[in-house]
Amino acid sequence: MAAAKLKPSREKMSLKSERRGIHVDQSELLCKKGCGYYGNPAWQGFCSKCWREEYHKARQKQIQEDWELAERLQREEEEAFASSQSSQGAQSLTFSKFEEKKTNEKTRKVTTVKKFFSASSRVGSKKEIQEAKAPSPSINRQTSIETDRVSKEFIEFLKTFHKTGQEIYKQTKMFLESMHYKRDLSIEEQSECTQDFYQTVAERMQTRGKVPPERVEKIMDQIEKYIMTRLYKYVFCPETTDDEKKDLAIQKRIRALHWVTPQMLCVPVNEEIPEVSDMVVKAITDIIEMDSKRVPRDKLACITKCSKHIFNAIKVTKNEPASADDFLPTLIYIVLKGNPPRLQSNIQYITRFCNPSRLMTGEDGYYFTNLCCAVAFIEKLDAQSLNLSQEDFDRYMSGQTSPRKQESENWSPDACLGVKQMYKNLDLLSQLNERQERIMNEAKKLEKDLIDWTDGIAKEVQDIVEKYPLEIKPPNQSLAAIDSENVENDKLPPPLQPQVYAG
């Protein structure tokens, strides 16, 4: 992408920079004009504010060049007419040609100026207000359940702002009415009208309504949700653009890169850890779910949730906080593994119709810019980016072989995916059977060792008993017998007798 150019592959030769083209400095994600906001690929690396300034400068320059060209052609024709000394018929013919060319240039000049100052680039003009008063088929049509729900939520939200809310609702309704008459315009012009409306409403709330900035953001989120829910089916992947063609191209590209492994991208994620594997699945689910949302802010929220799951997976794997150099390769791997539907259409839709302040700052803008980097890398991915030889890269891309298979497991291009999966499962079962047999043999060996050890201990005890037999002695004689045999009894003093003394 323009806002986050991929670095050359040999800038840093450290272990992490072996990712080559995957490494991106954080400064390169910012607007290239140096305003401090995040850039955007559709705005040639500028932020929304700088892009609008550059766009208007370019239009003014084009108009000025048209005027200068018209004046130069007029002078040349006048000089040619003045210097002509031919016959009256020839003079009349020259003058007619001059008038015709002058009229054409004047018409083109006026058309250019009218286009620049037309209602398509300004919201709320008198013409649009008059047209807004007319009944619109888009308003009278039966709305969907979701549209009706969003409309009610928007009205309830604005009730808390009283007069300011009424003014916002009036402007929003006028904008939707004007957009109904601008469906024949290009999608870029419709995007410009929407961005002008965002900017006009935000500035009016801050200057006239004295609304605090934090409340302005909440109101703008509700306005975006309301108008984009109403306009979604007209402005998302319109037939007048090549968005669908880009979707098919990136989808085909990702399918061709199905063989890319985490090791090739230097992804610091270990999916053998159950917790990490769950986070990877959640990240893929979030990036796929993006296509089901209508509001640009909701699509950005899916990207943000996906990115946070990625950071958590890296943190659990490395047992330390993830860095930006770890995040981008992992995001590329998630996109390759998930192959989100209508990826380019969703990116373009967010770029064209999201509240610009959300894309220019904050975590949503940062993660969205990184997603654009990931898509740009996938589109330009080559053998050098993956540290492969050109021959291996070409064989993998053509489907002749895959790094995940043994050379003897090559499949024909027309082989059924179900058959491939069946043989893969059979191979896994065979490996499990071998492991089970190995475990059973080890268990039998352990059982035999235990029996031999028990027999050995019993034999040793028996040998010791035989070598040192037990001698059983007769029981000891009683104490009386011992005393009776004592010949010295006669010499003992008589026993003491108790005596009683009178008190």
Side-chain angles (χ1 to χ4, degrees):
M1 62 177 285
K5 300 177 182 176
L6 302 179
K7 275 191 173 278
S9 58
R10 296 183 180 178
E11 283 191 0
K12 298 180 180 180
M13 297 307 295
S14 64
L15 181 60
K16 287 188 176 180
S17 63
E18 286 184 1
R19 300 182 185 117
R20 303 181 177 235
I22 304 178
H23 179 76
V24 176
D25 277 346
Q26 298 304 296
S27 59
E28 294 183 353
L29 302 178
L30 302 176
C31 174
K32 63 182 182 182
K33 199 172 181 179
C35 65
Y37 296 118
Y38 290 118
N40 192 282
W43 298 327
Q44 300 180 6
F46 294 103
C47 67
S48 175
K49 181 179 178 181
C50 296
W51 165 247
R52 291 168 66 82
E53 293 176 356
E54 295 295 325
Y55 181 71
H56 288 156
K57 286 180 182 179
R59 294 185 68 176
Q60 291 283 7
K61 183 179 179 182
Q62 183 63 41
I63 293 173
Q64 184 65 28
E65 291 177 353
D66 290 343
W67 277 102
E68 293 176 356
L69 177 61
E71 292 175 354
R72 181 172 60 81
L73 291 174
Q74 184 176 357
R75 287 196 302 269
E76 292 177 356
E77 292 291 350
E78 289 175 351
E79 292 173 358
F81 174 74
S83 62
S84 175
Q85 302 297 328
S86 59
S87 62
Q88 185 64 27
Q91 291 179 357
S92 177
L93 180 62
T94 304
F95 183 75
S96 299
K97 291 182 178 180
F98 163 73
E99 288 294 333
E100 181 182 358
K101 186 173 292 186
K102 182 178 179 181
T103 302
N104 292 338
E105 288 298 328
K106 184 177 180 180
T107 302
R108 186 170 68 88
K109 181 169 55 179
V110 172
T111 302
T112 304
V113 176
K114 283 184 177 180
K115 182 179 179 182
F116 177 71
F117 292 104
S118 64
S120 64
S121 61
R122 293 181 178 270
V123 179
S125 66
K126 292 182 179 180
K127 182 179 178 182
E128 291 173 356
I129 295 175
Q130 293 174 356
E131 291 176 343
K133 293 179 180 179
S136 170
S138 63
I139 300 300
N140 295 332
R141 75 180 188 277
Q142 185 177 2
T143 58
S144 65
I145 296 177
E146 182 176 0
T147 303
D148 186 53
R149 177 181 57 81
V150 172
S151 300
K152 290 180 180 179
E153 290 178 357
F154 184 61
I155 294 173
E156 292 296 326
F157 174 78
L158 293 179
K159 284 182 179 179
T160 59
F161 295 92
H162 306 293
K163 187 177 180 179
T164 303
Q166 294 177 0
E167 183 66 22
I168 292 172
Y169 183 74
K170 182 180 178 181
Q171 294 175 12
T172 306
K173 295 289 288 185
M174 291 175 60
F175 169 75
L176 289 174
E177 290 286 353
S178 67
M179 290 297 291
H180 170 71
Y181 295 98
K182 294 178 181 179
R183 290 178 189 169
D184 293 336
L185 299 178
S186 68
I187 193 64
E188 299 303 331
E189 290 176 312
Q190 295 184 56
S191 171
E192 185 180 356
C193 292
T194 306
Q195 298 296 329
D196 283 339
F197 174 71
Y198 287 149
Q199 184 175 359
T200 302
V201 173
E203 290 177 353
R204 186 170 298 180
M205 283 191 292
Q206 291 177 350
T207 56
R208 298 184 183 180
K210 305 299 181 181
V211 181
E214 59 275 7
R215 299 195 72 181
V216 171
E217 284 299 317
K218 293 182 179 179
I219 296 174
M220 293 305 301
D221 288 342
Q222 292 296 324
I223 293 175
E224 176 190 312
K225 181 179 181 180
Y226 175 64
I227 65 175
M228 295 317 303
T229 302
R230 300 288 298 270
L231 299 176
Y232 175 77
K233 68 178 183 179
Y234 303 111
V235 298
F236 181 83
C237 192
E239 296 179 355
T240 56
T241 65
D242 59 350
D243 291 351
E244 185 177 0
K245 182 179 179 181
K246 292 180 179 178
D247 288 335
L248 296 175
I250 191 65
Q251 191 176 51
K252 183 178 179 181
R253 175 71 172 174
I254 292 176
R255 286 178 178 174
L257 293 169
H258 69 278
W259 47 268
V260 176
T261 63
Q263 291 75 23
M264 293 178 181
L265 296 172
C266 297
V267 175
V269 169
N270 184 7
E271 293 186 67
E272 294 182 0
I273 302 175
E275 185 179 0
V276 174
S277 179
D278 291 342
M279 292 177 184
V280 170
V281 172
K282 290 179 181 178
I284 294 174
T285 303
D286 289 332
I287 198 70
I288 292 176
E289 187 182 2
M290 174 180 62
D291 186 60
S292 65
K293 305 298 182 181
R294 286 191 175 190
V295 184
R297 179 168 61 93
D298 294 341
K299 292 181 181 291
L300 280 177
C302 291
I303 298 174
T304 300
K305 288 193 296 183
C306 168
S307 301
K308 289 183 177 180
H309 286 311
I310 290 174
F311 272 107
N312 290 334
I314 297 173
K315 182 178 179 180
V316 172
T317 301
K318 298 180 65 177
N319 200 21
E320 63 181 19
S323 64
D325 289 338
D326 296 327
F327 170 68
L328 183 57
T330 312
L331 179 60
I332 294 171
Y333 173 67
I334 293 296
V335 174
L336 288 175
K337 195 168 183 179
N339 197 359
R342 299 192 291 186
L343 181 58
Q344 288 286 8
S345 290
N346 282 288
I347 290 177
Q348 291 296 328
Y349 177 71
I350 294 172
T351 300
R352 292 165 181 159
F353 297 102
C354 185
N355 184 2
S357 62
R358 190 171 292 278
L359 294 183
M360 293 161 57
T361 57
E363 61 179 5
D364 288 342
Y366 173 76
Y367 293 138
F368 178 71
T369 304
N370 275 274
L371 177 62
C372 295
C373 281
V375 174
F377 175 81
I378 291 172
E379 291 176 337
K380 300 176 181 179
L381 186 143
D382 55 13
Q384 190 176 17
S385 302
L386 299 176
N387 234 354
L388 296 174
S389 64
Q390 190 62 44
E391 294 77 11
D392 288 342
F393 182 82
D394 293 338
R395 286 192 300 122
Y396 297 155
M397 289 297 293
S398 62
Q400 296 178 3
T401 185
S402 171
R404 297 177 179 178
K405 297 178 181 179
Q406 300 295 331
E407 292 297 328
S408 59
E409 295 179 345
N410 290 333
W411 295 92
S412 60
D414 57 345
C416 177
L417 294 177
V419 174
K420 293 181 182 180
Q421 187 65 37
M422 180 186 69
Y423 279 100
K424 182 179 180 180
N425 293 339
L426 289 175
D427 182 61
L428 291 175
L429 289 174
S430 177
Q431 294 178 13
L432 289 174
N433 188 36
E434 292 177 359
R435 291 180 61 185
Q436 184 181 13
E437 291 180 356
R438 187 165 57 251
I439 292 173
M440 290 298 296
N441 293 333
E442 294 293 333
K444 290 179 179 179
K445 182 180 178 182
L446 178 61
E447 183 182 6
K448 184 177 181 302
D449 292 341
L450 288 174
I451 294 173
D452 294 342
W453 178 78
T454 304
D455 294 341
I457 294 298
K459 187 175 183 304
E460 290 181 4
V461 172
Q462 185 64 28
D463 292 342
I464 293 174
V465 170
E466 292 178 354
K467 185 175 182 181
Y468 304 100
L470 295 177
E471 295 182 358
I472 300 176
K473 297 181 179 181
N476 295 331
Q477 296 179 356
S478 62
L479 294 178
I482 295 175
D483 292 340
S484 62
E485 293 178 357
N486 190 350
V487 295
E488 301 295 332
N489 272 349
D490 297 338
K491 298 180 180 181
L492 292 176
L496 295 177
Q497 297 295 330
Q499 298 180 5
V500 178
Y501 295 94

